[in-house]
Amino acid sequence: MSLDSPRPQNTRDLSQSPSTLAFLTRFFAAESAGGVILMAAALAALIAANSPWAEVYFATLQVKLAGLSIEHWINDGLMAIFFMLVGLEIKREILAGQLSTWSQRALPGFAALGGMLVPAVIYLAINWGSAETTNGWAIPAATDIAFALGVLALLGKRAPLSLKIFLSALAILDDLGAVVIIALFYTSGLSVSMLLASLAVIVLLVVLNRCGVQRLWPYLLAGGLLWFFMLQSGVHATLAGVILALCIPLGNADTPRQSPLLYLEEKMHPWVAFAVVPIFGFANAGVSLAGITPDHLLEPVPLGVALGLLLGKQIGVFGLAALAIRAGLAKLPEGCNWMQLYGVALLCGIGFTMSLFIGALAFPGAPHLIDAVKVGVLMGSLVCGLLGVVVLLRAGRSTSA
């Protein structure tokens, strides 16, 4: 997975060091606050799309800048920064964090696998036989870590730290699965010359890593070139962010200031949480609700997405996690009970950012289907969030009683 040597040889779990505990505190604070801002951005988009300024809202997103629409710049440009942060988080967790050993990977790994497979199966079952809509099978497979952690933050001490760590590890593995899905299933119209140019830049990044280059600017400069070549190649440009992140060296993980990866992740996180993701949410959550009736909500795409998130996530996440625990392959997060695990499984049905992103990839040139995806994501995520809060509040009361 990584280009660095496996892990720091001192074998001390990085997650227990004072510097990393402080890092985790900042991470959850930024992620939770970012989730609240993302909720506000999504609400603002819905208001804008259903207000007298709706025409201005939609027209502005289509304004061209340097050959690409503002919406395209957001989805392919800003989201590459988001995916880069995802890549940094994946690498950190696997090398020296909450996913660095099998025992740590087991529970979130099984939960993430179930949380991707079951929602996809439910969506396909509802959309079976429709060549136009089956391509959206991956839409409900994603979990929005910012939204989910934002909801957990609202619960305060009723949600123990181990539950937040489990959710973040699960969501990171979920994001890894989404990256693989995008690379394998949502790539088209490949340009061989641009792919070769991208490969040459990737080789350069690997050489920089292997030669022990610690300065960030050569990686970032090469990453900019990689993004451009991948944008022209037919492979989705946001994957350049993940590839670049995996080439950034971890360095001295015990001292974040001496680790290029941890330093970059810490600097990027507030920008992504408070700017990139809310901008994406505002640009993509806007859908006109005019004329939408209960019959529209029961159409295959919104119904498949909503039920995939609502039923698929809780069945897949909780079901496989419970099987792994009962089989002795994993353990409940420390200080958590079964009801809290189920509550988190419900929160995993909040699929906002990545679900909307995959929806745009699944149905290019079909705005009516993209609008249907938005309705399904909003319905499923809202119900999952509310039910998750109710379950976790009850679980917290029973734990403290």
Side-chain angles (χ1 to χ4, degrees):
M1 183 68 187
S2 169
L3 298 173
D4 291 310
S5 56
R7 273 193 294 167
Q9 294 302 310
N10 59 8
T11 68
R12 179 167 59 89
D13 185 358
L14 177 63
S15 65
Q16 300 304 314
S17 69
S19 60
T20 305
L21 289 175
F23 179 87
L24 283 174
T25 300
R26 292 194 298 272
F27 171 85
F28 288 125
E31 200 75 66
S32 302
V36 174
I37 294 175
L38 178 56
M39 295 177 201
L43 179 61
L46 278 173
I47 293 173
N50 293 276
S51 72
W53 299 280
E55 187 174 342
V56 175
Y57 168 78
F58 289 112
T60 300
L61 292 174
Q62 301 308 315
V63 171
K64 297 283 186 177
L65 295 174
L68 299 177
S69 68
I70 290 177
E71 184 179 29
H72 199 166
W73 275 114
I74 291 170
N75 292 350
D76 281 26
L78 280 183
M79 286 302 283
I81 300 173
F82 167 80
F83 274 84
M84 183 178 174
L85 181 62
V86 167
L88 292 173
E89 291 173 348
I90 290 170
K91 181 171 181 177
R92 166 177 54 81
E93 293 292 349
I94 290 178
L95 280 184
Q98 294 300 318
L99 300 173
S100 59
T101 65
W102 163 252
S103 61
Q104 291 172 312
R105 296 180 195 129
L107 186 61
F110 281 109
L113 180 62
M116 288 185 283
L117 291 178
V118 180
V121 169
I122 289 176
Y123 179 91
L124 284 173
I126 293 174
N127 286 268
W128 193 255
S130 173
E132 183 184 28
T133 63
T134 50
N135 200 40
W137 60 271
I139 295 168
T143 293
D144 191 302
I145 185 174
F147 249 127
L149 283 176
V151 173
L152 267 187
L154 298 177
L155 300 175
K157 294 182 179 179
R158 296 184 183 91
L161 178 61
S162 61
L163 204 61
K164 297 175 183 177
I165 291 174
F166 165 69
L167 176 59
S168 65
L170 188 162
I172 287 169
L173 288 173
D174 188 279
D175 284 343
L176 176 59
V179 168
V180 173
I181 287 170
I182 291 169
L184 294 179
F185 299 101
Y186 295 106
T187 293
S188 60
L190 297 179
S191 166
V192 175
S193 61
M194 290 295 103
L195 281 176
L196 290 175
S198 300
L199 181 60
V201 178
I202 293 171
V203 170
L204 172 60
L205 287 167
V206 172
V207 169
L208 289 172
N209 181 284
R210 288 299 189 185
C211 290
V213 175
Q214 299 290 299
R215 290 184 178 274
L216 285 170
W217 69 264
Y219 294 96
L220 298 179
L221 183 60
L225 288 174
L226 180 62
W227 177 85
F228 174 78
F229 290 140
M230 293 191 76
L231 179 68
Q232 305 298 321
S233 72
V235 176
H236 205 273
T238 52
L239 297 179
V242 178
I243 295 171
L244 171 60
L246 297 181
C247 294
I248 302 292
L250 178 64
N252 185 352
D254 288 332
T255 309
R257 292 292 178 182
Q258 296 178 18
S259 167
L261 186 150
L262 295 182
Y263 176 80
L264 184 60
E265 184 182 359
E266 184 175 19
K267 293 299 182 183
M268 286 181 62
H269 208 286
W271 289 98
V272 172
F274 300 134
V276 172
V277 173
I279 289 172
F280 171 84
F282 182 75
N284 286 271
V287 56
S288 175
L289 302 178
I292 292 182
T293 65
D295 290 339
H296 288 96
L297 303 181
L298 297 178
E299 290 178 353
V301 170
L303 185 64
V305 171
L307 290 184
L309 291 171
L310 176 58
L311 298 181
K313 281 293 185 179
Q314 60 176 300
I315 293 171
V317 171
F318 185 76
L320 252 66
L323 283 175
I325 293 169
R326 291 300 189 191
L329 299 174
K331 297 184 296 184
L332 271 171
E334 184 178 352
C336 298
N337 56 40
W338 285 100
M339 188 176 287
Q340 287 173 319
L341 183 66
Y342 177 62
V344 166
L346 282 166
L347 291 187
C348 287
I350 302 174
F352 191 80
T353 304
M354 197 70 82
S355 292
L356 291 178
F357 185 78
I358 294 176
L361 298 180
F363 304 123
H368 66 291
L369 290 179
I370 294 177
D371 283 348
V373 168
K374 292 177 182 179
V375 171
V377 169
L378 291 171
M379 282 196 306
S381 298
L382 179 61
V383 175
C384 285
L386 292 175
L387 289 179
V389 167
V390 171
V391 169
L392 288 169
L393 283 174
R394 295 194 62 180
R397 283 198 292 267
S398 64
T399 301
S400 60

